[in-house]
Amino acid sequence: GESVGLHLPTLSVQEGDNSIINCAYSNSASDYFIWYKQESGKGPQFIIDIRSNMDKRQGQRVTVLLNKTVKHLSLQIAATQPGDSAVYFCAENLGDSWGKLQFGAGTQVVVTP
Amino acid sequence: ETGVTQSPTHLIKTRGQQVTLRCSSQSGHNTVSWYQQALGQGPQFIFQYYREEENGRGNFPPRFSGLQFPNYSSELNVNALELDDSALYLCASSPRPGNSSDEQFFGPGTRLTVL
């Protein structure tokens, strides 16, 4: 079946550097994508979203890029901080109403001093 | 914190037993979605409740069932527990079924262990 998945299971980043987390999706009909951050012992926390009619969206220190041609999504974190250490998931909206999300497997980001 | 609470925090059951997990949605939210997150994996959508009715279901067997109450809190019930049901169960509440996830908030989850 079609699914959302991630390329790298673990990403080690030095504090202050930029992080890039990648995600490949296979459902060409998907029109809404979200990035979540999950810290240990907590539920996923919304970071940023993007609709399929856009190819870039920026937030505070984060940028999401969408390449529909190759079905690729990425999250860029600028000036990575120790508090950014977490598991990051991309997700796509499954159905006609939101809240029904299909998540990828996740990438563990480890920020080193 | 998100305002979404779940109970209990942790739970240990044996194979074949039944379990009920609870979720209190954020004030003003009438939609609750449940997810199962196995260790090292992303959450998997179980089902969603909107105004006390099921509003969509993922690929889970009928022994996974739910309820939503008039105050919009929700329960997830799992019958005939199997070892593979061991996971973190997450609920997420939102003000309505819509098309934006920035208004959907997850609770901290209930860690279920089936022995």
Side-chain angles (χ1 to χ4, degrees):
Chain A
E2 296 179 314
S3 64
V4 175
L6 295 175
H7 293 302
L8 299 174
T10 304
L11 180 66
S12 185
V13 182
Q14 196 161 12
E15 183 178 355
D17 286 352
N18 296 335
S19 305
I20 299 176
I21 307 165
N22 295 303
C23 175
Y25 66 94
S26 57
N27 186 353
S28 56
S30 295
D31 62 357
Y32 180 58
F33 304 89
I34 314 104
W35 280 100
Y36 285 91
K37 172 186 180 183
Q38 187 173 25
E39 297 174 283
S40 180
K42 297 183 179 181
Q45 176 187 356
F46 173 91
I47 301 173
I48 192 167
D49 58 2
I50 189 167
R51 300 195 181 280
S52 59
N53 61 352
M54 304 171 69
D55 53 19
K56 181 179 180 179
R57 192 167 188 220
Q58 289 183 292
Q60 186 176 12
R61 281 201 309 119
V62 294
T63 300
V64 56
L65 299 178
L66 175 63
N67 185 331
K68 295 180 287 294
T69 302
V70 295
K71 295 181 207 168
H72 184 266
L73 193 68
S74 69
L75 177 70
Q76 301 177 2
I77 305 173
T80 311
Q81 303 169 359
D84 295 328
S85 292
V87 178
Y88 290 79
F89 295 97
C90 64
E92 61 181 316
N93 201 53
L94 280 174
D96 54 349
S97 65
W98 56 273
K100 307 170 190 175
L101 302 172
Q102 179 165 296
F103 285 78
T107 293
Q108 175 78 55
V109 172
V110 179
V111 181
T112 58
Chain B
E1 299 302 322
T2 65
V4 180
T5 61
Q6 292 185 245
S7 62
T9 305
H10 297 87
L11 197 56
I12 299 175
K13 291 285 190 178
T14 56
R15 231 173 2 171
Q17 285 188 311
Q18 179 266 342
V19 69
T20 298
L21 309 181
R22 295 176 175 84
C23 172
S24 291
S25 58
Q26 184 160 308
S27 177
H29 286 191
N30 59 22
T31 303
V32 173
S33 303
W34 285 92
Y35 292 83
Q36 179 195 65
Q37 186 175 22
L39 195 62
Q41 297 183 21
Q44 300 296 311
F45 175 72
I46 304 175
F47 43 56
Q48 181 183 86
Y49 278 83
Y50 168 57
R51 291 186 174 179
E52 304 178 58
E53 298 286 333
E54 187 178 289
N55 184 43
R57 188 180 182 93
N59 188 26
F60 280 81
R63 61 189 184 84
F64 285 78
S65 63
L67 281 173
Q68 188 177 34
F69 300 99
N71 67 355
Y72 304 129
S73 66
S74 179
E75 286 183 355
L76 165 65
N77 299 290
V78 187
N79 293 323
L81 283 167
E82 300 177 0
L83 297 180
D84 285 349
D85 296 334
S86 295
L88 180 69
Y89 288 85
L90 296 161
C91 78
S93 79
S94 45
R96 59 197 171 277
N99 58 2
S100 177
S101 282
D102 60 351
E103 297 176 302
Q104 183 185 51
F105 300 102
F106 282 83
T110 293
R111 172 70 63 188
L112 173 64
T113 301
V114 182
L115 302 176

